[in-house]
Amino acid sequence: MQRTKIQDVAALAGVSVSTVSRVVNNSDYPVTAEKRDRVRRAVRELNFSPSQVARNLRTNKSKLIALVVADIANPYFAGIARAMDEFLFHEGYGLIISSTDESPDREKGILNRLRDQDVDAIVISSSGQNISLLELLHKEGFPVMLLDRNIEELHMPFIGSDNVRECCILTQYLIDKGHRSILFLAGSLDSTTGKERLQGYRKALLKNRIEYDDSLVLHGNFMRDETYRLSVDFFDNRSDRATAVVSSNNLMSEGFLEAAFDRKISIPQQYSLVSFGSIDNQRLITPILTCYRQNLEMIGKLTAQMTLQMINESSGNADVPQNLVINDVFVEGKSVGTI
């Protein structure tokens, strides 16, 4: 989709670009009432926001890219941010980082502020609850790239993991070890990532004719503390319901392991655990976690490269329908026992 330019507004209103700028910015320069009305009608018809004037009038790019992540405290996003920043620095760009803390309202506020800031592109791991705002940003000329969490109806470039396939493989690994009562630590089901990883878990159960049990799904929402609380409650009240656990991300794996430690639950003697994503300093933790390890340096570098490609291809608008799915590395640790 081609972005609306100030020249388009001027052409529709039948006035000069400078007149459009004066009207939109409420300049003291004299403009007739009739011309003001024509400009305002053209602005409304083309959905041209005041913040776009500065973007259209400036002659140089800002050399700034905004990265909006779900949780900057998560080593996954922190690692990607670091790799992006390193790559962009050598390309003469700077990186602005904001964290939504998994809040759609906070995400909305951040995106609205970015509309008025001089950034060349936005990379976001979205909650999936602000689709109309992301569409508006795209229309206004902001290249938008989706990181980790795809939103298919937006048709925007995306980079992330094959969540369904890899979570299915993790679950199948437990089943092959004899486990049939498998607890699932679910991420936010408002996000595509959370939905797809649950889908992968259910796909493996169906393949092995194991009935899905909603009571064996703990909704940790990708958060360590929430998962810890739910896991403690599970150990205290329903510990005999499962023999193994599939965790949807690294933070929830940490929350579960902390709860197991506090309740003196042995891994893998009492519970086997597999994780989508590795945890920090994994080699120093006993037992070593069986997981899919994501190459954060590669993801960050590729994300930065794709973002620059979007910026350069159409000078501020990137209708580039491409998805880059990363094949993560399966690591067989010692956190799974055979029954």
Side-chain angles (χ1 to χ4, degrees):
M1 180 183 294
Q2 183 65 34
R3 69 171 174 145
T4 301
K5 300 179 180 179
I6 194 170
Q7 291 87 349
D8 299 328
V9 178
L12 183 60
V15 299
S16 67
V17 168
S18 59
T19 297
V20 175
S21 178
R22 289 161 186 159
V23 172
V24 173
N25 288 310
N26 294 314
S27 169
D28 292 334
Y29 192 92
V31 178
T32 66
E34 188 266 339
K35 285 185 177 180
R36 286 184 181 275
D37 287 341
R38 296 211 313 259
V39 169
R40 287 166 180 159
R41 285 199 299 271
V43 166
R44 287 195 297 271
E45 184 172 338
L46 295 174
N47 196 26
F48 189 79
S49 72
S51 64
Q52 287 178 265
V53 175
R55 288 180 59 79
N56 280 272
L57 289 179
R58 59 185 169 90
T59 57
N60 298 308
K61 295 182 174 68
S62 69
K63 298 286 187 175
L64 290 174
I65 292 173
L67 173 63
V68 183
V69 298
D71 182 3
I72 195 59
N74 187 335
Y76 170 77
F77 290 117
I80 291 174
R82 180 175 181 177
M84 285 185 66
D85 186 56
E86 179 71 16
F87 182 87
L88 292 171
F89 176 80
H90 292 291
E91 297 294 324
Y93 279 77
L95 188 67
I96 300 172
I97 305 172
S98 296
S99 179
T100 66
D101 296 331
E102 298 286 0
S103 166
D105 289 339
R106 183 177 171 87
E107 178 184 306
K108 182 177 181 180
I110 290 170
L111 290 175
N112 276 322
R113 284 199 296 272
L114 288 174
R115 289 185 68 194
D116 297 323
Q117 293 185 17
D118 200 20
V119 297
D120 291 334
I122 299 170
V123 179
I124 182 170
S125 59
S126 176
S127 65
Q129 303 302 298
N130 291 295
I131 292 177
S132 60
L133 182 52
L134 289 168
E135 287 177 330
L136 178 59
L137 284 163
H138 182 63
K139 285 183 64 177
E140 290 180 349
F142 290 89
V144 179
M145 181 168 177
L146 304 174
L147 169 66
D148 185 64
R149 303 175 179 187
N150 198 6
I151 305 174
E152 291 185 356
E153 54 262 51
L154 288 178
H155 303 289
M156 292 176 178
F158 161 76
I159 182 169
S161 300
D162 190 341
N163 295 301
V164 176
R165 183 183 71 87
E166 292 180 2
C167 213
C168 182
I169 290 172
L170 285 171
T171 308
Q172 184 65 51
Y173 182 84
L174 293 174
I175 295 171
D176 290 343
K177 296 293 185 178
H179 299 278
R180 298 188 66 82
S181 297
I182 302 172
L183 186 69
F184 186 75
L185 305 179
S188 170
L189 297 187
D190 289 329
S191 71
T192 54
T193 301
K195 292 175 184 176
E196 288 171 355
R197 292 179 187 175
L198 177 60
Q199 182 183 344
Y201 164 77
R202 297 190 67 168
K203 182 178 179 180
L205 296 183
L206 180 64
K207 177 183 176 181
N208 291 274
R209 298 183 180 180
I210 300 173
E211 185 176 356
Y212 171 76
D213 184 349
D214 192 59
S215 70
L216 289 178
V217 177
L218 303 185
H219 296 275
N221 294 318
F222 294 127
M223 307 298 285
R224 180 193 292 109
D225 291 346
E226 180 67 7
T227 303
Y228 172 84
R229 182 186 65 80
L230 292 172
S231 300
V232 166
D233 178 73
F234 188 85
F235 289 142
D236 289 347
N237 298 294
R238 297 180 289 156
S239 61
D240 60 341
R241 295 292 314 283
T243 62
V245 183
V246 177
S247 172
S248 289
N249 84 336
N250 53 337
L251 292 185
M252 292 196 294
S253 299
E254 292 179 8
F256 179 84
L257 286 170
E258 184 180 359
F261 178 83
D262 287 348
R263 287 298 185 266
K264 296 180 172 53
I265 301 292
S266 298
I267 307 294
Q269 289 79 6
Q270 292 172 267
Y271 274 85
S272 292
L273 173 65
V274 295
S275 172
F276 203 116
S278 58
I279 58 181
D280 277 355
N281 300 314
Q282 180 160 309
R283 289 184 300 172
L284 303 179
I285 297 172
T286 303
I288 295 174
L289 192 61
T290 294
C291 66
Y292 263 106
R293 185 178 66 224
Q294 297 160 295
N295 189 331
L296 307 185
E297 183 176 351
M298 180 181 69
I299 295 172
K301 180 179 179 180
L302 290 173
T303 301
Q305 287 177 330
M306 290 176 65
T307 305
L308 294 183
Q309 180 186 0
M310 289 165 55
I311 293 170
N312 294 330
E313 278 192 355
S314 52
S315 299
N317 182 33
D319 195 2
V320 184
Q322 65 180 54
N323 291 345
L324 184 56
V325 178
I326 303 297
N327 291 319
D328 301 315
V329 178
F330 183 80
V331 177
E332 186 172 26
K334 301 293 185 180
S335 62
V336 176
T338 301
I339 60 173

